[in-house]
Amino acid sequence: MEQIFQDENHTCEFDFTKAQWAIDGLHNIYGQAKAGLSDVDYLVETEKEILLIEYKNADIAEALKI
């Protein structure tokens, strides 16, 4: 299973190879399930924790400047 993921803008890479299990693309899964939940970017399981990770990067050209 691939456990190295990139953010949606392909500016950062996240290496979860030491995790027991990891998944990305949760936005599509929530949409298909018609769940009324806010999504996270990555769901990662370690030996001791389950991590729900939402990544934000406002320091890129495509980010909305207000």
Side-chain angles (χ1 to χ4, degrees):
M1 174 195 315
E2 179 67 33
Q3 294 196 145
I4 299 176
F5 304 116
Q6 290 188 352
D7 71 316
E8 62 195 35
N9 297 303
H10 306 286
T11 59
C12 295
E13 190 171 88
F14 301 90
D15 183 348
F16 298 123
T17 54
K18 292 185 180 183
Q20 293 182 343
W21 183 84
I23 189 172
D24 70 342
L26 295 171
H27 178 78
N28 294 335
I29 294 169
Y30 286 123
Q32 290 172 358
K34 297 184 178 13
L37 302 172
S38 297
D39 66 316
V40 296
D41 293 316
Y42 308 101
L43 178 59
V44 181
E45 180 182 358
T46 70
E47 288 185 23
K48 297 181 179 182
E49 302 169 308
I50 294 178
L51 306 171
L52 301 136
I53 302 169
E54 176 65 26
Y55 173 76
K56 299 292 185 198
N57 184 359
D59 193 25
I60 60 171
E62 295 83 13
L64 178 62
K65 303 287 183 183
I66 298 178

